[in-house]
């Protein structure tokens, strides 16, 4: 064992101690230091205290004091005094000021109008010897966050948490929790606990019910716990835990139970209840309710006499005297509770409060272990696995506050899961600390990946714990470290990566990352390389000597290609230039000639497509005209039809129109009624001597239309119409519609876009993503020409969304709005093992097993149908679905042949039906009766008195057999024995067994003339009676020979031995000589010379010792050797005395119909004879009256008195030395 560290020397020679002060009073705390002139600082809850009217701080030499004036409830906190490096904590407890009340002493005789029992406090209201708050204290565990439930896994499964509740004794209360299941694959598991460990699912019964329900619309589970007829013992802390495959959550709540407060008149009959919970005759009569209600009806204050304290200190012989003095009617019940209190008082001398047997804390949280010691100055040691805990950093913190000693363990890890001890001297308190490691959850799931062959794919996820262990799988097969040439695994704190280098088509599939608390799945799609055209080449119309430039842009800058003209490759020269810069390919032709006109195409290497455009040559003819030539527009394509010029939206349109005329004509451009005359802007006109230019910068859809150019001069005018067509990408389609949803597939349908961009729709592109993801994945690499598509390779139970693009020759539209979220699910497979369990003349019972494949969303239930043989009309046997795997179909016609089928149903639909192989005839099948007697009942069944006898005997037989029980050949008393029969078994039940229940019970089941019988022998045993006689046979030396006879009553069980005890006549303290002694004689040895002994013997059987022993009538004297003692002669005292009443009768006024007792006390020697009279009439022969006499207390009980029973009652005591009598008046009132 390591050497303990040296203890730091305290600067205080006297430490302040915790104090308790009444509100409004003054508290003074004093401390002394070892040296003078030491600076002392006082603190309140960790904050320094400065001197004021409230706080007075004094220092004189080594003495220091803190005075707190006018103490309030807020001052009930922890204080500290600091001197140098020493710090001492102490507490100030503030209690409310007591109210002064007028106390009526019990010695005063009660008034005639007040019954004696009304002054007795109810047992539940009398203060117990042990304070309740000390008995029910809980361990002090401090999680890192403010709320207890925040220390659990914060997955947030609860929609509604239960709140603290209050209920009155006898009433009902329900606590409800709601759990959302939208993102759960399986039904959550819910457990209810009381305190730390008590699982309430094992306590379901008369006073506790658990219920659950599921709302399919809101996808919310509702769980309820209902407490019926609450009792005071039900109060305390409760906990609800909910868990799924990868999530956990819990919450705490409290229940307070209040005693019922009576209002109005007291119902006397309802208070005479029994303590048992079964039928009316069970248990003992409990009058405590009557005492409580009578005390509540009273308006005057009850005397504050602690009857419990009086009984605790009194010897047992004084119990009945105290009961009579204070009017206790339920003395037996009070003594039982007093016995429990005395057991609780057996506490440690060093500890006021020990550690609980076990504590539990989550990993990473902190916990406080608290004990309370009897001596505030006591030093304690804390041990972990029998090794003393040393102070090391901030891991362990030791605190001493008044009587409390606290060990705080911060940042608990699995190494802290151990046994802890708190040691004071030779006494110790032991506990176990359990550290629970929270499950590792996937906090950020994987995302689907779409890559091209040869590219790198990287999956990334994030978990809840650093350096957690994860497992990667592909299509259910684990990826190992041995495949490092293909896969690379990487960790970075909570992030985990799976990297796949140079992907191929074989890498497609579903990849899963798994932890001990959850998993995440994503899909990898690897597509072939595909070249996308970002900008296509356009047709050109140029004039002679101008430059023609064909330009296109593709997605891959490494792609090369060739240019061809009319199918012949173009060779660069001085006039023709071919360039490739990044993703842009250019063909430039300078000084265009008519020979350059033709079809030009760009063909990328390795791809089976090309980009084509036309080059048109515009020839300008120059004619010699005379002066004043009319204007003319010289277009080379003039015809009766309009010229159409096509431009891609966003591109620039520059149209040069040659004109001629002398003098130079004026040019006017029109679009409809609008004249275009701007010289600057997006749409503008530039005019020159021999031509005009029409320019549109960034063509838009509204620029489409027919433009008219008009040229005028004095010689005339000319016009030409030019049609401009703007083509663009199409509008996005409407949101797609999902239908025909299956296990891993669905059908997606959509409508064409409203605007096709002026070009034919070439096809569509479809994308999908998970609901909570942001990454869209392309589903088709070739354009879809149809308006529907069957999407496959989806994960069942995952929510997806779809969107679609429209594509024309210009490009791809913007995406459509996402579809409504949907989940791929499939109907379950058919139920299995469909069989007939039972059949009768009008009903049939079917049972089956769940289907092999259920699906991610679970089952909604089963549908049951039947049809007549030869018919095809199936009739539903149940209106709704059933959750059970068995069903009884009733009200069928006898003799009909029916076929039955079962379907499993979930959110995706119904499964294929499970059918019986052949039709079933509805008719009872006769089965011979047979009793299956359990093996343990084939021998004699032995039970103790008071135990429960519960026997279940199964049998078979059809139709339902008639069951008959007899005892020793005679009928069974139904008040003592309960029999319950079902179709398959019989239950024999005795709530509290008695000796008379012993015997041979015979069971017979009978169907018509067939029968079967079985017998059960039951023996009820009890403690034996005492031996009949015990006598001293011989006394010699230091020995005494004893002999006794066996008991007359052996308790219905074999006598297994005897216990012999001796007692010195002086002390009468009994000591055991022999136990489990089998003979009926023995010798008591080693007795002390000069002492006189009595002996007693207990008999013993399997139930224990007899209730009372048999004691020797005479004593055995062990004589001293050589000395004979001569006793002195004493004059015998005369104890004779005439009768005398020590307690008189009291006048009473009662309500008609309720039993009443009249009591008094008398003494006299010899014992006097007692006579009762009513109006001088003897009552000894009246059956309505019962008279009792016990140890001088005389009681007359009048059963259900009527007004006729009113009058003067007299009690008369007579012996040979005289007589005495006492009387009282009784008034019987009729209830109003």
């Amino acid at each position: 064992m390591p050497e303990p560290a040296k203890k730091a020397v305290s600067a205080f020679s006297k430490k302040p101690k915790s104090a308790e002060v009444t509100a409004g009073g003054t508290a003074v705390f004093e401390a002394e230091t070892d040296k003078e002139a030491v600076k002392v600082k006082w603190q309140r809850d960790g904050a320094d205290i400065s001197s004021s009217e409230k706080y007075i701080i004094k220092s004189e030499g080594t003495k220091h004091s803190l005075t707190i004036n006018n103490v309030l409830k807020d001052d009930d906190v922890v204080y500290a005094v600091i001197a140098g490096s020493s710090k001492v904590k102490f507490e100030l407890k503030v209690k409310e000021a007591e109210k002064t009340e007028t106390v009526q002493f019990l010695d005063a005789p009660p008034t005639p109008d007040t019954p004696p029992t009304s002054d007795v406090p109810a047992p539940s209201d009398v203060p117990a010897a042990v304070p309740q708050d000390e008995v029910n204290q809980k361990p002090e565990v401090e999680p890192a966050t403010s709320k207890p439930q925040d220390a659990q896994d914060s997955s947030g499964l609860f929609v509604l948490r239960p709140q603290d509740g209050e209920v009155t004794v006898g009433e009902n209360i329900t606590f409800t929790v709601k759990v959302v299941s939208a993102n759960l694959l399986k039904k959550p598991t819910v457990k209810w606990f009381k305190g730390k460990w008590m699982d309430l699912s094992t306590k379901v019964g008369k006073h506790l019910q658990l219920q659950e329900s599921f709302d399919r619309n809101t996808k919310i589970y509702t769980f309820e716990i209902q407490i019926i007829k609450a009792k005071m013992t039900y109060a305390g802390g409760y906990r609800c835990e909910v868990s799924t495959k990868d999530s956990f959550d819990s919450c705490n709540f409290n229940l307070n139970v209040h005693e019922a407060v009576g209002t109005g008149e007291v119902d006397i009959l309802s208070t005479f209840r029994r303590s048992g919970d079964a039928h009316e005759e069970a248990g003992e009569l409990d009058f405590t309710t009557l005492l409580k209600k009578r005390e509540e009806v009273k308006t005057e204050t009850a005397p504050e006499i602690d009857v419990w304290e009086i009984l605790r200190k009194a010897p047992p012989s004084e119990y009945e005297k105290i009961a009579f003095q204070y009017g206790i009617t339920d003395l037996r019940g009070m003594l039982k509770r007093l016995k429990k209190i005395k057991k609780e008082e057996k506490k440690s001398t060093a500890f006021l409060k020990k550690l609980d047997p076990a504590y539990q804390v989550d990993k990473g949280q902190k916990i406080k272990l608290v004990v309370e010691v009897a001596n505030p100055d006591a030093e304690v040691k804390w041990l972990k696995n029998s090794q003393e805990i040393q102070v090391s950093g901030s891991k362990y913190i030791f605190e001493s506050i008044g009587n409390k000693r606290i060990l705080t363990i911060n940042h608990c890890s699995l190494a802290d899961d151990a046994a802890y001890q708190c040691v004071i001297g030779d006494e110790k308190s032991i506990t176990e600390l359990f550290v629970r490691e929270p499950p590792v959850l996937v906090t950020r799931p994987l995302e689907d990946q779409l890559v091209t062959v040869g590219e790198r794919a990287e999956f990334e996820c994030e978990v809840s714990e650093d350096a957690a262990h994860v497992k990667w799988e592909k299509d259910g097969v684990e990826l190992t470290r041995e495949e490092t040439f293909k896969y690379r695994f990487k960790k970075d704190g909570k992030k985990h990566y799976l990297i796949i280098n140079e992907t191929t088509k074989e890498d497609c599939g579903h990849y899963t990352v798994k932890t001990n608390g959850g998993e995440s799945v994503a899909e990898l799609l690897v597509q072939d390389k595909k070249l996308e055209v970002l900008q296509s080449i356009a047709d050109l119309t140029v004039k002679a000597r101008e430059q023609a430039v064909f330009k296109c842009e593709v997605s891959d800058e490494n792609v090369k290609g060739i240019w061809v003209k009319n199918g012949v490759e173009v060779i660069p020269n001085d006039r023709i230039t071919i360039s490739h810069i990044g993703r842009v390919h250019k063909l430039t032709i300078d000084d265009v000639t008519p020979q350059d006109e033709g079809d030009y195409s760009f063909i990328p290497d390795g791809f089976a497509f090309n980009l084509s455009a036309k080059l048109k040559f515009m020839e300008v003819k120059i004619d010699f005209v005379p002066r004043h030539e009319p204007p003319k527009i010289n277009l080379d394509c003039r015809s009766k039809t309009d010229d159409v010029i096509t431009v891609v939206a966003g591109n620039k349109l520059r149209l040069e129109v040659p004109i001629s005329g002398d003098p130079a004509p004026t040019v006017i451009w029109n679009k409809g009624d609008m004249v275009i005359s701007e010289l600057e802007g997006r749409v503008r006109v530039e005019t020159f001597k021999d031509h005009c230019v029409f320019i549109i910068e960034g063509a838009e859809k509204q620029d489409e239309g027919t433009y008219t150019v008009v040229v005028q001069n004095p010689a005339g005018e000319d016009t030409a119409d030019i049609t401009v067509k703007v083509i663009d990408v199409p509008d996005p389609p409407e949101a797609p519609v999902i239908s025909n949803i299956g296990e891993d597939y669905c059908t997606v349908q959509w409508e064409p876009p409203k605007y096709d961009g002026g070009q034919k729709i070439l096809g569509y592109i479809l994308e999908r993503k998970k609901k909570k993801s942001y990454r869209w994945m392309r589903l088709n690499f070739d354009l879809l020409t149809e308006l529907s598509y069957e999407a496959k390779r989806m994960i069942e139970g995952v929510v997806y969304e779809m969107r679609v693009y429209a594509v024309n020759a210009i490009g791809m539209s913007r995406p459509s709005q996402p579809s409504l979220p949907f989940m791929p699910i499939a109907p379950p497979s058919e139920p299995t093992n469909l069989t007939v369990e039972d059949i009768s003349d009008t009903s049939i019972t079917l049972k089956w097993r769940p289907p092999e494949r259920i699906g991610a969303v679970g089952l909604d239930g089963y549908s049951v149908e039947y049809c007549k043989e030869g018919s095809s009309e199936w009739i539903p046997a149940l209106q709704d679905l059933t959750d059970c795997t068995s069903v009884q179909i009733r009200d069928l016609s006898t003799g009909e042949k029916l076929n039955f089928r079962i379907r499993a149903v979930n959110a995706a639909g119904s499964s294929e039906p499970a059918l019986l192989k052949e039709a079933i005839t509805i008719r009872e099948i006769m089965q011979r009766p047979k009793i299956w007697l359990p093996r343990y009942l084939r021998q004699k069944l032995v039970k103790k008195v008071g135990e429960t006898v519960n026997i279940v005997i199964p049998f078979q037989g059809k139709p339902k057999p008639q069951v008959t029980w007899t005892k020793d050949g005679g009928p069974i008393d139904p008040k003592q024995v309960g029999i319950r029969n079902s179709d398959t078994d019989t239950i024999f039940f005795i709530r509290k067994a008695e000796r008379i229940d012993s015997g041979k019970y015979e069971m017979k089941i009978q169907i018509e003339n067939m029968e079967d019988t079985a017998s059960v022998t039951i023996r009820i045993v009890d403690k034996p009676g005492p031996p009949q006689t015990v006598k001293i046979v011989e006394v010699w030396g230091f020995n005494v020979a004893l002999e006794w006879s066996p008991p007359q009553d052996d308790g219905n069980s074999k006598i297994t031995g005897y216990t012999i005890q001796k007692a010195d006549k002086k002390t009468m303290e009994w000591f055991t000589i022999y136990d489990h002694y089998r003979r009926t004689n023995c010798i008591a040895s080693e007795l002390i010379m000069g002492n006189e002994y009595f002996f007693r013997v207990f008999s013993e059987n399997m139930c224990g010792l007899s209730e009372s022993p048999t004691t020797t009538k005479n004593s055995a004297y062990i004589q001293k050797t050589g000395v004979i003692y001569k006793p002195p002669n004493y004059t015998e005292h005369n104890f004779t005395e005439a009768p005398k009443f020590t307690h008189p009768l009291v006048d009473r006024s009662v309500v008609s119909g309720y039993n009443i007792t009249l009591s008094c006390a008398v003494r006299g020697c010899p014992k006097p004879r007692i006579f009762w009279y009513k109006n001088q009439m003897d009552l000894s022969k009246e059956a309505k009256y019962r008279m009792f006499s016990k140890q001088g207390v005389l009681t007359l009980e009048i059963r259900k008195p009527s007004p006729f029973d009113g009058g003067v009652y007299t009690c008369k005591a007579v012996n040979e030395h005289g007589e005495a009598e006492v009387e009282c008046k009784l008034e019987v009132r009729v209830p109003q």
Side-chain angles (χ1 to χ4, degrees), residues 702-715:
Q702 58 264 30
D703 295 330
E704 235 179 22
T706 301
Y707 293 83
T708 303
V709 57
V710 180
V711 293
Q712 297 175 343
N713 70 359

Side-chain angles (χ1 to χ4, degrees), residues 673-688:
D673 298 333
M674 182 180 66
V675 178
I676 301 173
S677 59
E678 289 84 356
L679 300 179
E680 293 182 359
R682 191 178 64 84
V683 181
R684 64 183 182 273
V685 177
E686 298 177 358
T687 305
F688 300 92

Side-chain angles (χ1 to χ4, degrees), residues 609-820:
F609 72 92
N610 58 39
L611 306 176
S612 301
K614 290 183 178 182
L615 176 61
K616 294 182 180 180
F617 180 78
M618 180 187 297
E619 185 177 357
V620 180
K621 297 181 179 180
I622 303 175
D623 298 329
F624 293 95
V625 295
R627 294 287 180 175
H628 299 285
E629 180 184 1
K632 187 176 182 181
I633 300 173
N634 300 314
L635 294 176
D636 60 348
C637 53
R638 296 294 297 276
S639 64
K640 293 183 180 180
T641 59
D642 295 340
D643 296 325
V644 178
I645 298 175
T646 302
V647 61
V648 178
N651 289 355
K652 177 180 179 181
L653 173 64
R654 179 184 175 88
L655 180 60
E656 294 187 5
V657 180
I659 60 176
S660 62
D662 191 11
T666 302
V667 181
I668 301 174
W669 287 82
N670 299 318
K671 183 183 180 185
D673 298 333
M674 182 180 66
V675 178
I676 301 173
S677 59
E678 289 84 356
L679 300 179
E680 293 182 359
R682 191 178 64 84
V683 181
R684 64 183 182 273
V685 177
E686 298 177 358
T687 305
F688 300 92
K689 181 178 180 180
D690 58 347
H691 68 279
C692 66
V693 181
F694 178 67
I695 301 173
I696 300 177
E697 298 281 357
E700 298 176 356
K701 186 176 180 180
Q702 58 264 30
D703 295 330
E704 235 179 22
T706 301
Y707 293 83
T708 303
V709 57
V710 180
V711 293
Q712 297 175 343
N713 70 359
E717 68 176 24
D718 192 8
T719 63
D721 292 334
I722 301 173
T723 301
V724 177
K725 182 178 181 182
V726 180
I727 58 177
D728 197 358
V729 296
D731 287 346
E734 297 292 333
V737 178
I738 310 299
S739 61
N740 191 26
I741 300 174
E743 181 179 3
D744 60 348
Y745 63 88
C746 71
T747 301
V748 188
Q749 295 176 323
W750 61 90
E751 296 295 331
K754 296 181 180 179
Y755 173 61
D756 60 3
Q759 295 287 301
K760 179 183 177 181
I761 299 296
L762 301 179
Y764 300 90
I765 294 174
L766 197 62
E767 289 184 339
R768 77 161 185 244
K769 77 174 182 70
K770 296 177 182 176
K771 172 69 174 172
K772 294 186 177 181
S773 175
Y774 60 87
R775 187 190 299 270
W776 288 91
M777 295 189 61
R778 187 168 174 174
L779 298 184
N780 59 302
F781 301 128
D782 297 326
L783 294 179
L784 302 174
T785 57
E786 302 294 334
L787 295 178
S788 65
Y789 178 76
E790 184 177 358
K792 298 181 179 179
R793 293 176 58 84
M794 289 183 286
I795 304 171
E796 185 179 9
V798 177
V799 182
Y800 289 94
E801 292 178 340
M802 295 280 188
R803 69 181 184 185
V804 65
Y805 296 84
V807 181
N808 63 6
I810 304 303
M812 189 166 59
S813 70
R814 289 181 289 106
S816 68
Q817 290 296 320
S819 67
L820 294 176

